């Protein structure tokens, strides 16, 4: 369930709150029931998940306990993972504080940590509630806002009609679109694949170029639009409209064959030589499997 309102730490005084060091400082989220993770991607490790589980234990968290994750996708991913394995799962509320987490990672119950440099390779599904307070966006820097806009571009390309000048309305429309898909396909067996639009190339760029997730997704959408067009799955007008918009707003990183091979470890990798795409088209996402050579022929 998603609810909207003003986050008040005092309402969660009986719960354990996990946040990160930036948010702790910016919003005074402190106290005996608060744990602060390191900021950003470095939080997503087994070591931090283990540290969280030890803290849950030390704080006497029981099977009926409730954990609240206040942060961006990194806090949500590792806290969600720890909450999903502690006593085989305790209740979780995600309070997303980045634009990307409000429209994407804070919804749908996927958790993940990184292992040996491979992103999101360990994870679980967890049923969580989401509490969205767009007031958190006031302290978010331009780079993180742009990253969220990358995911919002994906929703718009899939047909979600929003006025991006109205950020509250945009967040709500995207969050609810994702929530609806996830309710129909919680374990990501089919319908949810549409949300992977832009993510096959996007993940490779994110790792190779060390750029924010949503910026990589925007670039992924640019290139996957090119693939869809080459396969006759989308028309000239659709490709031109979205590629021009992405090029205007986002830095565009180059795709090479060696970068594509980074997809080898992606969960969308089908058999070592073939990768799965959810390609953007006028009629929603189309699932297609392509070999590395086929992709390279179109993009490189
Ligand atoms: N589980 C999912 O479904 C899913 C979906 C998409 C992305 N992700 C994951 O999300 C992660 C990226 O998350 P993210 O983009 O939210 O960034 P993030 O959580 O890594 O945070 C980025 C930075 O923004 C800071 N920050 C967060 N909120 C802030 C605020 N309100 N004001 C000021 N600073 C703030 C953080 O302290 C951090 O330094 C990636 O690891 C990605 O894999 C998960």
């Amino acid at each position: 369930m998603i609810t909207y309102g003003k986050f008040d730490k005092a309402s969660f005084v009986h719960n354990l709150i996990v946040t990160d060091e930036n948010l702790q400082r910016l919003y005074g989220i402190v106290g005996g029931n608060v744990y602060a993770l390191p900021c950003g991607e470095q939080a997503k490790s087994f070591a931090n998940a283990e540290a969280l589980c030890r803290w849950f234990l030390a704080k006497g968290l029981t099977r009926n306990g409730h954990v609240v994750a206040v942060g961006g996708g990194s806090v949500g991913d590792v806290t969600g993972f720890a909450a999903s394995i502690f006593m085989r799962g305790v209740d979780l509320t995600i309070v997303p504080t980045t634009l990307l987490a409000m429209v994407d990672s804070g919804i749908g119950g996927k958790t993940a940590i990184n292992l040996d440099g491979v992103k999101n390779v360990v994870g679980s599904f967890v049923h969580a509630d989401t509490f969205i307070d767009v007031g958190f966006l006031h302290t978010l820097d331009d780079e993180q806002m742009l990253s969220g806009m990358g995911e919002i571009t994906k929703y718009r390309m899939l047909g979600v009609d929003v006025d991006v000048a109205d950020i509250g309305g945009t967040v709500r429309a995207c969050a609810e679109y994702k929530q609806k898909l996830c309710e129909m396909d919680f374990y990501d067996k089919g319908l949810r694949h549409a949300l992977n639009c832009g993510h096959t190339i996007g993940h490779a760029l994110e790792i190779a170029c060390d750029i924010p997730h949503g910026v990589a997704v925007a670039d992924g959408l640019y290139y996957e639009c090119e693939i869809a067009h080459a396969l006759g799955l989308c028309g000239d007008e659709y490709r031109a409209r979205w590629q021009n918009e992405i090029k205007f707003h986002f830095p565009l990183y180059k795709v090479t064959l060696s970068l594509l091979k980074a997809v080898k470890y992606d969960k969308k990798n089908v058999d070592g030589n073939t990768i799965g795409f959810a390609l953007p088209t006028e009629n929603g996402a189309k699932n297609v499997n392509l070999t590395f050579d086929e992709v390279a022929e179109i993009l490189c």
Side-chain angles (χ1 to χ4, degrees), residues 140-252:
L140 203 61
D141 65 25
D142 291 349
E143 187 184 52
Q144 292 299 329
M145 283 300 282
L146 190 67
S147 180
M149 282 298 175
E151 287 287 357
I152 289 169
T153 304
K154 172 190 79 181
Y155 290 111
R156 292 171 58 226
M157 288 176 77
L158 291 175
V160 180
D161 188 19
V162 293
D163 169 8
V164 288
D166 167 18
I167 201 68
T170 298
V171 164
R172 203 177 263 252
C174 295
E176 267 151 35
Y177 178 87
K178 177 164 183 182
Q179 172 80 357
K180 211 174 278 169
L181 272 187
C182 295
E183 276 167 8
M184 291 188 285
D185 178 25
F186 184 69
Y187 289 106
D188 200 8
K189 300 288 185 206
L191 278 178
R192 249 180 110 153
H193 292 353
L195 300 168
N196 288 337
C197 231
H199 282 62
T200 303
I201 300 292
H203 265 173
L205 285 167
E206 186 176 358
I207 295 160
C209 309
D210 193 20
I211 50 177
H213 178 80
V215 172
V217 167
D219 280 19
L221 288 164
Y222 178 97
Y223 291 112
E224 292 184 18
C225 209
E226 192 61 34
I227 298 173
H229 185 265
L231 299 177
L233 297 172
C234 77
D236 296 344
E237 213 177 297
Y238 180 87
R239 175 180 67 160
R241 180 199 161 179
W242 290 110
Q243 286 193 334
N244 286 338
E245 183 174 322
I246 292 166
K247 234 181 357 192
F248 183 77
H249 290 290
F250 297 88
L252 200 59

